[in-house]
């Protein structure tokens, strides 16, 4: 499985934008880039995913580098509820087998 | 739509016993995956079921098994429990099998082995 590299931790202040980076230099052409987050004592929650183009949804934006070897999850205005572990994951395209390979993720701390 | 539900939420067993965990996916979702989460190893994939067939299996011993029923509900079983099996067991469902399909996770079952 292609691997991703994320910083162990990041900090932000409430209502400020947060940019969470992810490196995936061995990504294949059909791999989708997924982001999940896990709040304390909960199961992971889907945030966003993309293939080649930048994506926006109600939770966040995903900026994908032109060579697809890195991506950035953008939280436009961090809230205390955004404090969580954020996972960047590569999911094989086509008929995949549902296997998500989670790394250690980035622990995001949001200060009031 | 109701989310993914897992029962029971908490379970305490002793070494050598066996345990069965249950997962009900979101209505209409046919794929169910199971994960184990521990502080030391993080989140690790156990297996995925689609249309009652196991499609992929992670690197776990044969004591870990599962099945899926015709209504897409899934169970996983762990036999001959060991202390190291203490973990949060998560179930996730998704509508299809494409890599673009996001997975929806349940709250998990916290298993403690004494």
């Amino acid at each position: 499985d292609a691997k991703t590299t994320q910083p162990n931790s990041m900090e932000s202040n409430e209502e400020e934008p947060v940019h969470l980076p992810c490196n995936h230099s061995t990504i294949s052409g059909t791999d989708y880039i997924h982001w999940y987050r896990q709040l304390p004592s909960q199961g992971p929650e889907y945030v966003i995913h993309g293939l080649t183009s930048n994506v926006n949804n109600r939770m966040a934006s995903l900026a994908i580098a032109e060579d697809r070897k890195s991506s950035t999850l953008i939280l436009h205005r961090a809230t205390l509820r955004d404090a969580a572990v954020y996972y960047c994951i590569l999911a094989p395209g086509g008929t995949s087998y549902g296997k998500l390979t989670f790394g250690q993720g980035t622990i995001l701390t949001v200060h009031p | 739509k109701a989310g993914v539900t897992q029962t029971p939420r908490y379970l305490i067993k002793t070494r050598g016993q066996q345990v069965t965990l249950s997962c009900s996916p979101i209505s209409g979702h046919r794929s169910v995956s199971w994960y184990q989460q521990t502080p030391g190893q993080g989140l690790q994939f156990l297996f995925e079921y689609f249309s009652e067939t196991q499609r992929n299996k992670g690197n776990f011993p044969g004591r870990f098994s599962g099945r899926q029923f015709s209504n897409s509900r899934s169970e996983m079983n762990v036999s001959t429990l060991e202390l190291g099996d203490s973990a949060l067991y998560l179930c996730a469902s998704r509508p299809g099998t494409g890599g673009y399909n996001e997975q929806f996770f349940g709250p998990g079952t916290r298993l403690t082995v004494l």
Side-chain angles (χ1 to χ4, degrees), chain A residues 24-70:
Chain A
H24 28 78
S25 58
T26 60
I27 190 171
S28 76
T30 57
D31 285 342
Y32 285 82
I33 302 162
H34 285 242
W35 283 82
Y36 287 78
R37 71 180 185 182
Q38 188 172 22
L39 280 65
S41 303
Q42 295 186 25
E45 174 187 32
Y46 166 80
V47 177
I48 200 167
H49 77 277
L51 184 61
T52 56
S53 303
N54 295 344
V55 184
N56 300 296
N57 66 20
R58 65 175 180 80
M59 290 181 67
S61 295
L62 176 60
I64 301 173
E66 198 167 327
D67 63 5
R68 300 210 325 128
K69 293 185 177 181
S70 65

Side-chain angles (χ1 to χ4, degrees), chain B:
Chain B
K1 280 186 180 179
V4 176
T5 58
Q6 294 186 245
T7 57
R9 293 292 312 278
Y10 301 91
L11 205 50
I12 299 175
K13 292 286 188 179
T14 57
R15 279 180 298 176
Q17 288 187 309
Q18 75 164 17
V19 66
T20 299
L21 312 181
S22 180
C23 171
S24 292
I26 291 173
S27 177
H29 287 193
R30 295 169 61 194
S31 166
V32 174
S33 297
W34 288 88
Y35 295 81
Q36 180 196 65
Q37 185 171 29
T38 60
Q41 298 298 319
L43 273 152
Q44 293 184 289
F45 173 79
L46 278 157
F47 29 66
E48 182 197 21
Y49 286 86
F50 180 79
S51 292
E52 303 178 62
T53 301
Q54 186 181 91
R55 291 163 48 83
N56 199 8
K57 192 175 192 303
N59 189 26
F60 280 83
R63 300 185 296 107
F64 291 81
S65 63
R67 60 178 176 168
Q68 186 180 34
F69 303 95
S70 59
N71 62 358
S72 295
R73 191 177 68 85
S74 177
E75 291 181 345
M76 68 162 283
N77 184 77
V78 187
S79 62
T80 319
L81 283 166
E82 301 177 358
L83 295 179
D85 297 332
S86 294
L88 180 67
Y89 290 88
L90 292 155
C91 163
S93 75
R94 58 181 183 151
T97 58
Y100 48 83
N101 289 137
E102 63 266 34
Q103 296 196 16
F104 296 84
F105 284 81
T109 293
R110 173 75 63 185
L111 172 64
T112 301
V113 182
L114 302 176

